[in-house]
Amino acid sequence: MTYDYDVLIVGGGLVGGSLALALGNTALRIGIIESIAEEKRITSSAGERALALAWGSAQILEQIGVWQGAGTKAAPIRHIHVSDRGHFGKLRMSAEREGVPALGYVATARALEEEVAARLKQSPVSLICPASVAGLKAGGEAVHVCLRMGTASTNLTAKLLVAADGGNSTVRKLLEIGQTVRDYGQTAIVTEVATGKSSDYTAYERFTPVGPLAFLPVAKKRYSVVWTQKADDAADLLASSELAFAEKLQSAFGYWLGKIALASRRQAFPLKLIRAERMTDERVVLIGNAMHQLHPVAGQGLNLGLRDVAMLAEMLSARLEFGEDIGGRDFLERYALARQADLDRVIRFTDSTVRLFSTDFAPLAVARNAGLLALDRFLPGKRLLSQYAMGLGDRIPRFG
Ligand SMILES: Cc1cc2nc3c(=O)[nH]c(=O)nc-3n(C[C@H](O)[C@H](O)[C@H](O)COP(=O)(O)OP(=O)(O)OC[C@H]3O[C@@H](n4cnc5c(N)ncnc54)[C@H](O)[C@@H]3O)c2cc1C
């Protein structure tokens, strides 16, 4: 049969766009279906959020030609400092001790999105935008997609459909794939602050009784803040004056960076863990937030999504070389198996961190402090955690 595309990717966010670039040099005909027009996407306020990228993610972004530009705008993370407000436990990690230039990097979502969009324009990938998926049917040999483009609609066929359409995935709903949802009842407030002291590019993760607080370096005297709060408290904080907000933030964080002042608007992101019950369906595979939407506490969501991209691209390239069906059930099952352990581990780590550190219940507070202190003194354990923070827990696949 003839196909309009070999691979159709639904969702042109960071994960879908990265996959298209990773496959851009193969003989595959790739189409991306994206529902929001580019001008609207690049001005969306969500693009201002800073993302902590593991060293392994920077390697993947370099392979697809994105890090060469985006990396010049990113700040390095040279140290990581984890502490528990009101308690003594602390954990410190350092790039120097690990023998690497940086444990990771901080880049805004916008800087990455712009670079992905620029690279896509130079690639043979077709961007079908604005268009959204209205219907799906996977037959034996092809997946049939019904697209809505304004008032018009059209049908396309492909050998494989990749759902990269985010936490509210339409593809997942159309296929009636169940999901496990944990609503943390928390909201992340994201903003930027100017600091009194110059940074040595330390990223701080501070656990408070109401939720974790992350300070990520973006420049010498500028930090991006992700402050997780109970939903009601977050609403009050968002409604408070800039000065009152900055004072409360200072009191929660302390004076590690001197006096802090608000340097950008505050934005709110409600927090949930969403995990699809399966990674694949007939000729369909779910990646990125469409498969797993995580709490940002450990900064793992995009990092995990980029590892989905790298693994899928590597396996598709190999499949293509052998001339085998890229949408075959055996192939998709092998991909799901290859990603399972990383997914389970990151979800378990993120979820237990949120629950362990979002409480002031005395026995747990003592245990986590003892844990932080012990880990700080226990070199092999700390090295493992550093490797994990750098995204080196798994082999980084090579593709193309
Ligand atoms: C406050 C906050 C802080 C974070 N910090 C970090 C961090 O430090 N490190 C980290 O690794 N991760 C972090 N994350 C997570 C990270 O932002 C996400 O994991 C990542 O952006 C997910 O990318 P995605 O492409 O899978 O999904 P999305 O970014 O949601 O993209 C989905 C795309 O699909 C499109 N789409 C949706 N529906 C349709 C449809 N029906 N048809 C066509 N197109 C459609 C959308 O328009 C969008 O462009 C953070 C998240 C938040 C909220």
Side-chain angles (χ1 to χ4, degrees), residues 36-247:
I36 303 177
E38 190 183 341
E39 340 45 278
K40 219 167 152 188
R41 260 186 299 139
I42 57 168
T43 51
S44 104
S45 54
E48 289 164 20
R49 73 188 185 284
L51 300 171
L53 292 172
W55 186 85
S57 294
Q59 301 290 299
I60 294 169
L61 291 170
E62 190 167 304
Q63 285 189 65
I64 61 173
V66 166
W67 194 244
Q68 290 74 345
T72 59
K73 297 180 205 145
I77 298 175
R78 300 212 198 281
H79 311 271
I80 297 178
H81 182 280
V82 184
S83 61
D84 198 351
R85 186 173 179 267
H87 300 276
F88 45 84
K90 282 179 191 52
L91 173 71
R92 301 171 194 86
M93 287 176 260
S94 128
E96 202 182 341
R97 207 172 302 141
E98 294 306 318
V100 290
L103 290 167
Y105 299 90
V106 182
T108 62
R110 169 128 331 121
L112 295 173
E113 279 160 7
E114 282 175 356
E115 207 60 42
V116 168
R119 297 281 82 76
L120 279 174
K121 279 189 189 134
Q122 297 161 354
S123 78
V125 172
S126 312
L127 186 59
I128 309 158
C129 176
S132 58
V133 174
L136 263 184
K137 191 170 169 296
E141 285 178 37
V143 55
H144 300 260
V145 185
C146 172
L147 284 190
R148 198 170 299 129
M149 306 171 79
T151 51
S153 60
T154 186
N155 294 315
L156 293 175
T157 52
K159 293 177 187 165
L160 174 69
L161 182 128
V162 181
D165 51 346
N168 199 21
S169 168
T170 305
V171 173
R172 190 177 63 208
K173 286 180 204 154
L174 287 171
L175 293 171
E176 296 180 1
I177 295 179
Q179 53 182 17
T180 311
V181 180
R182 187 191 298 284
D183 191 339
Y184 294 106
Q186 295 178 335
T187 300
I189 303 176
V190 176
T191 190
E192 267 189 27
V193 293
T195 61
K197 283 192 200 161
S198 274
S199 152
D200 60 352
Y201 293 101
T202 297
Y204 295 87
E205 182 87 55
R206 191 152 169 72
F207 293 100
T208 77
V210 288
L213 170 60
F215 268 59
L216 302 171
V218 289
K220 270 259 164 242
K221 292 185 110 182
R222 214 167 164 104
Y223 266 74
S224 170
V225 175
V226 183
W227 195 7
T228 306
Q229 289 277 326
K230 287 181 188 144
D232 291 347
D233 297 342
D236 293 345
L237 273 172
L238 289 161
S240 66
S241 71
E242 285 196 4
L243 205 63
F245 179 86
E247 275 170 10

Side-chain angles (χ1 to χ4, degrees), residues 11 14-15 33-35 49 51-52 164-165 170 190 289 296 299 301-303:
L14 286 173
V15 170
I33 301 162
E34 168 55 51
S35 56
R49 73 188 185 284
L51 300 171
D165 51 346
T170 305
V190 176
N289 274 26
L302 180 61
N303 290 306

